[in-house]
């Protein structure tokens, strides 16, 4: 009984957070969806591509249920799984993420939480694992990158929130006042401690 509850809860959160990540692309120009927004090149469309690749590998290869479509190489020195090349469209990448989600959902639905899996890129002795551990790991990755996407999107146009119904935009004047208040608190604390 608890296994089905845990599995359903984790799976529901994964599905929700997939949609959160995709929502961060809504309404953005092609340039804003792709452009590097950090010193390391992190970008919104690249986050989607990366999470799709991670999910495809974990719910595919780990359980001997490989993705039905070719996967880009990941963790290459050029980080090619984390950005969109000129010839990759937004629709291709988001479509890949949705299809990967369907494949992952089928794996999750077909297997019990204690189904054995093997993660060859994990260090020994952790390579032999199970569906529960992989679900927790992939959910953590998805949440982590959805959080990155939230911060990046806020920097682009002020949009924040978990879902469209929670979209919160702060007007420019209120945002500047709030920022100044936090900046002043930081400076005051630094001068007292320094």
């Amino acid at each position: 009984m608890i296994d089905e509850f845990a599995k359903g809860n984790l799976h529901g959160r994964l599905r929700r957070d997939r949609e959160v990540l995709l929502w961060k692309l809504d309404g953005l120009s092609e340039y804003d969806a792709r452009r590097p927004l950090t010193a390391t090149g992190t970008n919104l469309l690249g986050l989607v591509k990366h999470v799709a690749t991670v999910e495809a590998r974990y719910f595919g290869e780990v359980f001997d249920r490989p993705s039905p479509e070719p996967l880009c190489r990941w963790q290459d020195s050029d980080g090619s799984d984390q950005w969109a090349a000129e010839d990759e469209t937004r629709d291709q990448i988001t479509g890949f993420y949705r299809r990967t989600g369907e494949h992952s959902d089928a794996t999750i639905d077909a297997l019990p939480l204690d189904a054995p899996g093997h993660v060859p890129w994990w260090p020994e002795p952790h390579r032999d694992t199970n569906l529960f551990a992989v679900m927790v790991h992939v959910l953590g990755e998805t949440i982590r990158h959805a959080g990155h996407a939230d911060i990046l999107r806020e920097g682009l146009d002020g949009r924040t929130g978990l879902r469209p119904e929670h979209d919160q935009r702060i007007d420019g004047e209120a945002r500047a006042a709030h920022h100044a208040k936090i900046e002043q608190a930081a400076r005051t604390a630094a001068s007292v401690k320094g």
Side-chain angles (χ1 to χ4, degrees), residues 109-150:
D109 290 341
L111 301 175
L113 280 179
D114 62 352
H118 181 76
V119 186
W121 52 90
W122 282 4
E124 287 290 355
H126 306 289
R127 291 180 180 166
D128 290 322
T129 189
N130 60 35
L131 180 63
F132 177 78
V134 169
M135 287 181 77
V136 169
H137 180 80
V138 172
L139 179 59
E141 283 285 314
T142 305
I143 290 169
R144 177 177 182 230
H145 292 308
H148 294 148
D150 198 36

mmCIF file of all heavy atoms in Angstrom, residues 109-150:
data_model
loop_
_atom_site.group_PDB
_atom_site.id
_atom_site.type_symbol
_atom_site.label_atom_id
_atom_site.label_comp_id
_atom_site.label_asym_id
_atom_site.label_seq_id
_atom_site.Cartn_x
_atom_site.Cartn_y
_atom_site.Cartn_z
ATOM 1 N N ASP A 109 5.209 3.152 -14.779
ATOM 2 C CA ASP A 109 3.958 2.401 -14.640
ATOM 3 C C ASP A 109 4.185 0.895 -14.682
ATOM 4 O O ASP A 109 3.486 0.134 -14.007
ATOM 5 C CB ASP A 109 2.964 2.800 -15.734
ATOM 6 C CG ASP A 109 2.408 4.209 -15.554
ATOM 7 O OD1 ASP A 109 2.495 4.759 -14.428
ATOM 8 O OD2 ASP A 109 1.895 4.763 -16.548
ATOM 9 N N ALA A 110 5.152 0.457 -15.465
ATOM 10 C CA ALA A 110 5.366 -0.982 -15.668
ATOM 11 C C ALA A 110 6.130 -1.665 -14.539
ATOM 12 O O ALA A 110 6.012 -2.873 -14.370
ATOM 13 C CB ALA A 110 6.106 -1.211 -16.983
ATOM 14 N N LEU A 111 6.901 -0.893 -13.784
ATOM 15 C CA LEU A 111 7.807 -1.508 -12.814
ATOM 16 C C LEU A 111 7.407 -1.195 -11.372
ATOM 17 O O LEU A 111 6.933 -0.096 -11.081
ATOM 18 C CB LEU A 111 9.238 -1.005 -13.045
ATOM 19 C CG LEU A 111 9.842 -1.268 -14.419
ATOM 20 C CD1 LEU A 111 11.210 -0.604 -14.532
ATOM 21 C CD2 LEU A 111 9.926 -2.758 -14.699
ATOM 22 N N PRO A 112 7.662 -2.122 -10.450
ATOM 23 C CA PRO A 112 7.464 -1.827 -9.034
ATOM 24 C C PRO A 112 8.619 -0.967 -8.512
ATOM 25 O O PRO A 112 9.692 -0.909 -9.137
ATOM 26 C CB PRO A 112 7.470 -3.208 -8.379
ATOM 27 C CG PRO A 112 8.307 -4.046 -9.275
ATOM 28 C CD PRO A 112 8.068 -3.508 -10.674
ATOM 29 N N LEU A 113 8.416 -0.327 -7.390
ATOM 30 C CA LEU A 113 9.456 0.545 -6.835
ATOM 31 C C LEU A 113 10.771 -0.167 -6.566
ATOM 32 O O LEU A 113 11.830 0.447 -6.634
ATOM 33 C CB LEU A 113 8.968 1.211 -5.542
ATOM 34 C CG LEU A 113 8.061 2.404 -5.705
ATOM 35 C CD1 LEU A 113 7.644 2.935 -4.336
ATOM 36 C CD2 LEU A 113 8.712 3.504 -6.520
ATOM 37 N N ASP A 114 10.714 -1.453 -6.275
ATOM 38 C CA ASP A 114 11.947 -2.172 -5.985
ATOM 39 C C ASP A 114 12.555 -2.841 -7.220
ATOM 40 O O ASP A 114 13.507 -3.621 -7.106
ATOM 41 C CB ASP A 114 11.749 -3.190 -4.866
ATOM 42 C CG ASP A 114 10.740 -4.279 -5.215
ATOM 43 O OD1 ASP A 114 10.059 -4.177 -6.265
ATOM 44 O OD2 ASP A 114 10.623 -5.236 -4.422
ATOM 45 N N ALA A 115 12.037 -2.497 -8.410
ATOM 46 C CA ALA A 115 12.601 -3.063 -9.649
ATOM 47 C C ALA A 115 14.076 -2.689 -9.739
ATOM 48 O O ALA A 115 14.451 -1.531 -9.563
ATOM 49 C CB ALA A 115 11.850 -2.533 -10.867
ATOM 50 N N PRO A 116 14.934 -3.677 -10.023
ATOM 51 C CA PRO A 116 16.365 -3.390 -10.073
ATOM 52 C C PRO A 116 16.754 -2.613 -11.329
ATOM 53 O O PRO A 116 16.180 -2.788 -12.399
ATOM 54 C CB PRO A 116 17.008 -4.774 -10.079
ATOM 55 C CG PRO A 116 15.963 -5.683 -10.637
ATOM 56 C CD PRO A 116 14.635 -5.096 -10.251
ATOM 57 N N GLY A 117 17.709 -1.740 -11.133
ATOM 58 C CA GLY A 117 18.291 -0.985 -12.232
ATOM 59 C C GLY A 117 19.788 -0.892 -12.042
ATOM 60 O O GLY A 117 20.298 -1.130 -10.939
ATOM 61 N N HIS A 118 20.477 -0.527 -13.099
ATOM 62 C CA HIS A 118 21.935 -0.405 -13.042
ATOM 63 C C HIS A 118 22.338 0.910 -13.687
ATOM 64 O O HIS A 118 22.022 1.161 -14.856
ATOM 65 C CB HIS A 118 22.600 -1.584 -13.763
ATOM 66 C CG HIS A 118 24.083 -1.529 -13.719
ATOM 67 N ND1 HIS A 118 24.816 -1.856 -12.593
ATOM 68 C CD2 HIS A 118 24.980 -1.154 -14.665
ATOM 69 C CE1 HIS A 118 26.098 -1.690 -12.854
ATOM 70 N NE2 HIS A 118 26.230 -1.272 -14.104
ATOM 71 N N VAL A 119 23.012 1.753 -12.918
ATOM 72 C CA VAL A 119 23.460 3.072 -13.391
ATOM 73 C C VAL A 119 24.974 3.014 -13.567
ATOM 74 O O VAL A 119 25.722 3.218 -12.613
ATOM 75 C CB VAL A 119 23.075 4.195 -12.398
ATOM 76 C CG1 VAL A 119 23.413 5.564 -12.988
ATOM 77 C CG2 VAL A 119 21.600 4.121 -12.015
ATOM 78 N N PRO A 120 25.457 2.737 -14.786
ATOM 79 C CA PRO A 120 26.897 2.545 -14.977
ATOM 80 C C PRO A 120 27.735 3.787 -14.713
ATOM 81 O O PRO A 120 28.926 3.680 -14.435
ATOM 82 C CB PRO A 120 27.009 2.093 -16.438
ATOM 83 C CG PRO A 120 25.737 2.464 -17.088
ATOM 84 C CD PRO A 120 24.697 2.536 -16.015
ATOM 85 N N TRP A 121 27.148 4.963 -14.766
ATOM 86 C CA TRP A 121 27.918 6.189 -14.551
ATOM 87 C C TRP A 121 27.952 6.600 -13.078
ATOM 88 O O TRP A 121 28.605 7.571 -12.734
ATOM 89 C CB TRP A 121 27.389 7.336 -15.423
ATOM 90 C CG TRP A 121 25.913 7.577 -15.320
ATOM 91 C CD1 TRP A 121 25.284 8.410 -14.438
ATOM 92 C CD2 TRP A 121 24.893 7.012 -16.128
ATOM 93 N NE1 TRP A 121 23.925 8.380 -14.648
ATOM 94 C CE2 TRP A 121 23.660 7.524 -15.679
ATOM 95 C CE3 TRP A 121 24.894 6.110 -17.193
ATOM 96 C CZ2 TRP A 121 22.439 7.178 -16.253
ATOM 97 C CZ3 TRP A 121 23.677 5.764 -17.760
ATOM 98 C CH2 TRP A 121 22.470 6.299 -17.301
ATOM 99 N N TRP A 122 27.269 5.882 -12.194
ATOM 100 C CA TRP A 122 27.378 6.138 -10.757
ATOM 101 C C TRP A 122 28.590 5.406 -10.211
ATOM 102 O O TRP A 122 29.003 4.357 -10.732
ATOM 103 C CB TRP A 122 26.130 5.668 -10.033
ATOM 104 C CG TRP A 122 24.945 6.577 -10.148
ATOM 105 C CD1 TRP A 122 24.836 7.728 -10.873
ATOM 106 C CD2 TRP A 122 23.669 6.390 -9.516
ATOM 107 N NE1 TRP A 122 23.581 8.262 -10.743
ATOM 108 C CE2 TRP A 122 22.840 7.469 -9.906
ATOM 109 C CE3 TRP A 122 23.143 5.424 -8.675
ATOM 110 C CZ2 TRP A 122 21.527 7.606 -9.467
ATOM 111 C CZ3 TRP A 122 21.841 5.555 -8.234
ATOM 112 C CH2 TRP A 122 21.041 6.636 -8.620
ATOM 113 N N PRO A 123 29.173 5.923 -9.131
ATOM 114 C CA PRO A 123 30.330 5.230 -8.548
ATOM 115 C C PRO A 123 29.906 3.943 -7.833
ATOM 116 O O PRO A 123 28.779 3.822 -7.361
ATOM 117 C CB PRO A 123 30.873 6.255 -7.544
ATOM 118 C CG PRO A 123 29.708 7.105 -7.183
ATOM 119 C CD PRO A 123 28.834 7.153 -8.414
ATOM 120 N N GLU A 124 30.852 3.008 -7.787
ATOM 121 C CA GLU A 124 30.613 1.792 -6.991
ATOM 122 C C GLU A 124 30.556 2.223 -5.533
ATOM 123 O O GLU A 124 31.227 3.179 -5.160
ATOM 124 C CB GLU A 124 31.754 0.789 -7.203
ATOM 125 C CG GLU A 124 31.734 0.131 -8.549
ATOM 126 C CD GLU A 124 30.578 -0.842 -8.742
ATOM 127 O OE1 GLU A 124 29.816 -1.106 -7.785
ATOM 128 O OE2 GLU A 124 30.435 -1.337 -9.860
ATOM 129 N N PRO A 125 29.804 1.636 -4.692
ATOM 130 C CA PRO A 125 28.951 0.471 -4.869
ATOM 131 C C PRO A 125 27.491 0.845 -5.164
ATOM 132 O O PRO A 125 26.588 0.047 -4.947
ATOM 133 C CB PRO A 125 29.049 -0.219 -3.507
ATOM 134 C CG PRO A 125 29.121 0.920 -2.538
ATOM 135 C CD PRO A 125 29.912 2.003 -3.264
ATOM 136 N N HIS A 126 27.233 2.038 -5.668
ATOM 137 C CA HIS A 126 25.868 2.543 -5.832
ATOM 138 C C HIS A 126 25.255 2.276 -7.203
ATOM 139 O O HIS A 126 24.119 2.663 -7.448
ATOM 140 C CB HIS A 126 25.836 4.047 -5.540
ATOM 141 C CG HIS A 126 26.416 4.387 -4.211
ATOM 142 N ND1 HIS A 126 25.788 4.088 -3.023
ATOM 143 C CD2 HIS A 126 27.592 4.968 -3.883
ATOM 144 C CE1 HIS A 126 26.544 4.486 -2.015
ATOM 145 N NE2 HIS A 126 27.641 5.024 -2.507
ATOM 146 N N ARG A 127 26.000 1.639 -8.081
ATOM 147 C CA ARG A 127 25.512 1.433 -9.449
ATOM 148 C C ARG A 127 24.267 0.564 -9.511
ATOM 149 O O ARG A 127 23.395 0.799 -10.342
ATOM 150 C CB ARG A 127 26.606 0.841 -10.323
ATOM 151 C CG ARG A 127 27.716 1.817 -10.585
ATOM 152 C CD ARG A 127 28.788 1.238 -11.453
ATOM 153 N NE ARG A 127 29.810 2.260 -11.655
ATOM 154 C CZ ARG A 127 30.999 2.013 -12.128
ATOM 155 N NH1 ARG A 127 31.329 0.780 -12.479
ATOM 156 N NH2 ARG A 127 31.863 2.979 -12.279
ATOM 157 N N ASP A 128 24.191 -0.439 -8.680
ATOM 158 C CA ASP A 128 23.003 -1.277 -8.633
ATOM 159 C C ASP A 128 21.994 -0.613 -7.710
ATOM 160 O O ASP A 128 22.277 -0.385 -6.525
ATOM 161 C CB ASP A 128 23.352 -2.690 -8.171
ATOM 162 C CG ASP A 128 24.150 -3.431 -9.233
ATOM 163 O OD1 ASP A 128 23.850 -3.262 -10.432
ATOM 164 O OD2 ASP A 128 25.080 -4.165 -8.855
ATOM 165 N N THR A 129 20.845 -0.293 -8.251
ATOM 166 C CA THR A 129 19.861 0.508 -7.535
ATOM 167 C C THR A 129 18.467 -0.007 -7.849
ATOM 168 O O THR A 129 18.305 -1.135 -8.299
ATOM 169 C CB THR A 129 20.058 2.002 -7.882
ATOM 170 O OG1 THR A 129 19.240 2.800 -7.027
ATOM 171 C CG2 THR A 129 19.774 2.300 -9.333
ATOM 172 N N ASN A 130 17.460 0.835 -7.631
ATOM 173 C CA ASN A 130 16.084 0.425 -7.923
ATOM 174 C C ASN A 130 15.274 1.626 -8.420
ATOM 175 O O ASN A 130 15.756 2.761 -8.416
ATOM 176 C CB ASN A 130 15.433 -0.239 -6.704
ATOM 177 C CG ASN A 130 15.370 0.678 -5.500
ATOM 178 O OD1 ASN A 130 15.179 1.879 -5.612
ATOM 179 N ND2 ASN A 130 15.534 0.101 -4.321
ATOM 180 N N LEU A 131 14.060 1.350 -8.845
ATOM 181 C CA LEU A 131 13.203 2.400 -9.403
ATOM 182 C C LEU A 131 12.964 3.522 -8.412
ATOM 183 O O LEU A 131 12.989 4.696 -8.788
ATOM 184 C CB LEU A 131 11.874 1.807 -9.877
ATOM 185 C CG LEU A 131 10.887 2.809 -10.493
ATOM 186 C CD1 LEU A 131 11.450 3.442 -11.758
ATOM 187 C CD2 LEU A 131 9.553 2.125 -10.780
ATOM 188 N N PHE A 132 12.758 3.195 -7.149
ATOM 189 C CA PHE A 132 12.518 4.233 -6.150
ATOM 190 C C PHE A 132 13.671 5.237 -6.118
ATOM 191 O O PHE A 132 13.455 6.449 -6.178
ATOM 192 C CB PHE A 132 12.307 3.613 -4.764
ATOM 193 C CG PHE A 132 12.138 4.648 -3.687
ATOM 194 C CD1 PHE A 132 10.938 5.319 -3.523
ATOM 195 C CD2 PHE A 132 13.192 4.947 -2.826
ATOM 196 C CE1 PHE A 132 10.782 6.273 -2.527
ATOM 197 C CE2 PHE A 132 13.050 5.903 -1.834
ATOM 198 C CZ PHE A 132 11.843 6.574 -1.682
ATOM 199 N N ALA A 133 14.902 4.729 -6.010
ATOM 200 C CA ALA A 133 16.072 5.610 -5.939
ATOM 201 C C ALA A 133 16.207 6.456 -7.204
ATOM 202 O O ALA A 133 16.546 7.643 -7.131
ATOM 203 C CB ALA A 133 17.337 4.788 -5.705
ATOM 204 N N VAL A 134 15.934 5.876 -8.352
ATOM 205 C CA VAL A 134 16.032 6.615 -9.608
ATOM 206 C C VAL A 134 14.933 7.671 -9.691
ATOM 207 O O VAL A 134 15.175 8.804 -10.132
ATOM 208 C CB VAL A 134 16.013 5.658 -10.820
ATOM 209 C CG1 VAL A 134 15.836 6.413 -12.125
ATOM 210 C CG2 VAL A 134 17.301 4.836 -10.843
ATOM 211 N N MET A 135 13.723 7.341 -9.258
ATOM 212 C CA MET A 135 12.646 8.338 -9.267
ATOM 213 C C MET A 135 13.005 9.532 -8.389
ATOM 214 O O MET A 135 12.820 10.683 -8.786
ATOM 215 C CB MET A 135 11.322 7.720 -8.799
ATOM 216 C CG MET A 135 10.690 6.806 -9.816
ATOM 217 S SD MET A 135 9.116 6.118 -9.252
ATOM 218 C CE MET A 135 8.036 7.554 -9.492
ATOM 219 N N VAL A 136 13.541 9.265 -7.200
ATOM 220 C CA VAL A 136 13.941 10.348 -6.299
ATOM 221 C C VAL A 136 15.047 11.173 -6.951
ATOM 222 O O VAL A 136 15.017 12.413 -6.930
ATOM 223 C CB VAL A 136 14.379 9.794 -4.927
ATOM 224 C CG1 VAL A 136 15.044 10.868 -4.075
ATOM 225 C CG2 VAL A 136 13.181 9.191 -4.192
ATOM 226 N N HIS A 137 16.025 10.506 -7.549
ATOM 227 C CA HIS A 137 17.137 11.210 -8.191
ATOM 228 C C HIS A 137 16.658 12.099 -9.341
ATOM 229 O O HIS A 137 17.015 13.280 -9.418
ATOM 230 C CB HIS A 137 18.177 10.203 -8.697
ATOM 231 C CG HIS A 137 19.333 10.852 -9.367
ATOM 232 N ND1 HIS A 137 20.372 11.419 -8.669
ATOM 233 C CD2 HIS A 137 19.609 11.060 -10.687
ATOM 234 C CE1 HIS A 137 21.239 11.946 -9.518
ATOM 235 N NE2 HIS A 137 20.798 11.735 -10.745
ATOM 236 N N VAL A 138 15.842 11.559 -10.231
ATOM 237 C CA VAL A 138 15.380 12.321 -11.393
ATOM 238 C C VAL A 138 14.450 13.451 -10.958
ATOM 239 O O VAL A 138 14.518 14.555 -11.509
ATOM 240 C CB VAL A 138 14.715 11.405 -12.443
ATOM 241 C CG1 VAL A 138 14.065 12.206 -13.552
ATOM 242 C CG2 VAL A 138 15.750 10.445 -13.021
ATOM 243 N N LEU A 139 13.614 13.209 -9.967
ATOM 244 C CA LEU A 139 12.771 14.287 -9.458
ATOM 245 C C LEU A 139 13.638 15.406 -8.894
ATOM 246 O O LEU A 139 13.388 16.585 -9.149
ATOM 247 C CB LEU A 139 11.807 13.756 -8.394
ATOM 248 C CG LEU A 139 10.877 14.792 -7.765
ATOM 249 C CD1 LEU A 139 9.996 15.470 -8.808
ATOM 250 C CD2 LEU A 139 10.018 14.136 -6.685
ATOM 251 N N GLY A 140 14.681 15.048 -8.160
ATOM 252 C CA GLY A 140 15.603 16.067 -7.640
ATOM 253 C C GLY A 140 16.256 16.872 -8.749
ATOM 254 O O GLY A 140 16.360 18.106 -8.669
ATOM 255 N N GLU A 141 16.707 16.185 -9.798
ATOM 256 C CA GLU A 141 17.304 16.880 -10.948
ATOM 257 C C GLU A 141 16.299 17.821 -11.609
ATOM 258 O O GLU A 141 16.629 18.948 -11.961
ATOM 259 C CB GLU A 141 17.780 15.856 -11.986
ATOM 260 C CG GLU A 141 19.061 15.169 -11.651
ATOM 261 C CD GLU A 141 20.278 16.061 -11.857
ATOM 262 O OE1 GLU A 141 20.373 16.726 -12.901
ATOM 263 O OE2 GLU A 141 21.111 16.084 -10.948
ATOM 264 N N THR A 142 15.080 17.346 -11.783
ATOM 265 C CA THR A 142 14.051 18.147 -12.445
ATOM 266 C C THR A 142 13.714 19.376 -11.614
ATOM 267 O O THR A 142 13.636 20.492 -12.142
ATOM 268 C CB THR A 142 12.794 17.289 -12.708
ATOM 269 O OG1 THR A 142 13.187 16.131 -13.456
ATOM 270 C CG2 THR A 142 11.746 18.069 -13.488
ATOM 271 N N ILE A 143 13.540 19.195 -10.319
ATOM 272 C CA ILE A 143 13.235 20.323 -9.433
ATOM 273 C C ILE A 143 14.385 21.317 -9.434
ATOM 274 O O ILE A 143 14.172 22.533 -9.493
ATOM 275 C CB ILE A 143 12.936 19.818 -8.008
ATOM 276 C CG1 ILE A 143 11.610 19.069 -7.975
ATOM 277 C CG2 ILE A 143 12.930 20.961 -7.007
ATOM 278 C CD1 ILE A 143 11.366 18.307 -6.679
ATOM 279 N N ARG A 144 15.604 20.806 -9.359
ATOM 280 C CA ARG A 144 16.785 21.682 -9.350
ATOM 281 C C ARG A 144 16.821 22.555 -10.598
ATOM 282 O O ARG A 144 17.001 23.778 -10.524
ATOM 283 C CB ARG A 144 18.035 20.814 -9.267
ATOM 284 C CG ARG A 144 19.325 21.564 -9.329
ATOM 285 C CD ARG A 144 20.483 20.585 -9.167
ATOM 286 N NE ARG A 144 21.728 21.293 -9.186
ATOM 287 C CZ ARG A 144 22.759 20.959 -9.952
ATOM 288 N NH1 ARG A 144 22.688 19.897 -10.726
ATOM 289 N NH2 ARG A 144 23.866 21.649 -9.922
ATOM 290 N N HIS A 145 16.617 21.946 -11.758
ATOM 291 C CA HIS A 145 16.697 22.710 -12.992
ATOM 292 C C HIS A 145 15.462 23.580 -13.215
ATOM 293 O O HIS A 145 15.566 24.653 -13.823
ATOM 294 C CB HIS A 145 16.971 21.775 -14.164
ATOM 295 C CG HIS A 145 18.343 21.176 -14.085
ATOM 296 N ND1 HIS A 145 19.491 21.929 -13.927
ATOM 297 C CD2 HIS A 145 18.757 19.889 -14.110
ATOM 298 C CE1 HIS A 145 20.541 21.147 -13.868
ATOM 299 N NE2 HIS A 145 20.124 19.892 -13.974
ATOM 300 N N ALA A 146 14.312 23.178 -12.697
ATOM 301 C CA ALA A 146 13.132 24.054 -12.757
ATOM 302 C C ALA A 146 13.388 25.303 -11.902
ATOM 303 O O ALA A 146 12.968 26.406 -12.270
ATOM 304 C CB ALA A 146 11.879 23.321 -12.294
ATOM 305 N N GLY A 147 14.088 25.131 -10.785
ATOM 306 C CA GLY A 147 14.468 26.290 -9.973
ATOM 307 C C GLY A 147 15.424 27.210 -10.711
ATOM 308 O O GLY A 147 15.295 28.438 -10.654
ATOM 309 N N HIS A 148 16.386 26.622 -11.414
ATOM 310 C CA HIS A 148 17.279 27.436 -12.246
ATOM 311 C C HIS A 148 16.464 28.214 -13.277
ATOM 312 O O HIS A 148 16.676 29.414 -13.492
ATOM 313 C CB HIS A 148 18.294 26.559 -12.994
ATOM 314 C CG HIS A 148 19.273 25.872 -12.121
ATOM 315 N ND1 HIS A 148 19.792 24.646 -12.437
ATOM 316 C CD2 HIS A 148 19.828 26.216 -10.949
ATOM 317 C CE1 HIS A 148 20.645 24.279 -11.506
ATOM 318 N NE2 HIS A 148 20.678 25.197 -10.581
ATOM 319 N N ALA A 149 15.530 27.508 -13.918
ATOM 320 C CA ALA A 149 14.703 28.143 -14.948
ATOM 321 C C ALA A 149 13.872 29.274 -14.362
ATOM 322 O O ALA A 149 13.685 30.317 -15.005
ATOM 323 C CB ALA A 149 13.799 27.105 -15.614
ATOM 324 N N ASP A 150 13.380 29.102 -13.155
ATOM 325 C CA ASP A 150 12.590 30.147 -12.511
ATOM 326 C C ASP A 150 13.417 31.415 -12.323
ATOM 327 O O ASP A 150 12.963 32.518 -12.627
ATOM 328 C CB ASP A 150 12.058 29.637 -11.173
ATOM 329 C CG ASP A 150 10.906 30.467 -10.641
ATOM 330 O OD1 ASP A 150 10.084 30.945 -11.445
ATOM 331 O OD2 ASP A 150 10.807 30.617 -9.411
#
